[in-house]
Amino acid sequence: VMLWETKLGAGKARERVSAANFLDWRRESRALDAMAAWTAWGLALTGQGEPEELSSVRVSANLFQLLGVTPTLGRGFLPEEETVGRDRVVVLSHGVWAGRFGGDSGVIGRALTLDGRPYQVVGVMPESFRFPDDGSVAVWTPLAFDASELITRAERRFNVIGRVAPGSTPADAVTELELIV
């Protein structure tokens, strides 16, 4: 299911979610047995041939697992990689892996420079994987919230999906999440 915040006073029935509310929902929800967030991001790849702006998505460590998708090479993200400082890992799209890295399976473990910072390649997604939806994403990185993203609940920039727990309904989840907020 897709999860949204509402701001009825402003006429917004579907608004992205704040980092703080997402973390509260994920920690306290029982009607949803899995929940993941993501936000689009852009990263500049340098030091590997011509510099290139890559479309990127920061995702919860469990996103690939929630979607039931396993990387073709390597692995997805680990829970501890949602921590600032431990989040410098990247999963490549099949297109970037095949095009920019020539389909080299030795890319796993390789260091890349993204936005001037070192990242380590930990996985390559299947060719058929499209997330969020249009296939334009080049890389995924873990979503590690920094202090600035947790300061206010008014900063709503994260998309959230969840899986309804066995024995619960989407209506149960709505009621529960409203109580948590």
Side-chain angles (χ1 to χ4, degrees):
V1 294
M2 286 291 302
L3 304 172
W4 305 91
E5 290 195 46
T6 59
K7 212 172 167 186
L8 297 179
K12 296 181 179 181
R14 288 186 172 183
E15 186 156 351
R16 289 186 177 139
V17 178
S18 72
N21 283 345
F22 165 70
L23 292 173
D24 287 348
W25 289 353
R26 185 170 71 171
R27 182 180 54 254
E28 298 178 32
S29 177
R30 298 299 168 255
L32 296 167
D33 67 1
M35 195 179 305
W38 78 91
T39 189
W41 209 253
L43 293 171
L45 173 63
T46 58
Q48 304 283 326
E50 288 296 314
E52 182 179 0
E53 184 71 23
L54 299 176
S55 60
S56 169
V57 178
R58 294 170 57 207
V59 301
S60 297
N62 68 326
L63 177 80
F64 303 137
Q65 181 182 8
L66 186 148
L67 295 173
V69 180
T70 303
T72 300
L73 288 175
R75 63 172 176 82
F77 301 124
L78 305 173
E80 57 268 22
E81 291 168 343
E82 284 188 0
T83 305
V84 173
R86 298 190 72 186
D87 59 334
R88 299 288 173 78
V89 293
V90 61
V91 172
L92 304 176
S93 70
H94 186 274
V96 166
W97 172 67
R100 184 81 186 217
F101 299 98
D104 178 9
S105 60
V107 74
I108 303 300
R110 185 181 293 177
L112 299 181
T113 303
L114 300 171
D115 280 358
R117 292 181 239 157
Y119 282 75
Q120 181 182 35
V121 177
V122 296
V124 175
M125 294 308 286
E127 186 172 8
S128 62
F129 184 68
R130 304 283 186 267
F131 187 88
D133 57 8
D134 65 1
S136 67
V137 175
V139 297
W140 294 268
T141 60
L143 181 55
F145 297 112
D146 63 32
S148 69
E149 293 170 314
L150 299 172
I151 287 174
T152 178
R153 291 179 189 269
E155 177 84 23
R156 296 179 178 99
R157 63 176 162 167
F158 299 96
N159 301 288
V160 179
I161 58 174
R163 184 178 33 238
V164 178
S168 293
T169 67
D172 294 335
V174 168
T175 300
E176 179 185 66
L177 296 178
E178 287 175 348
L179 288 171
I180 292 169
V181 170

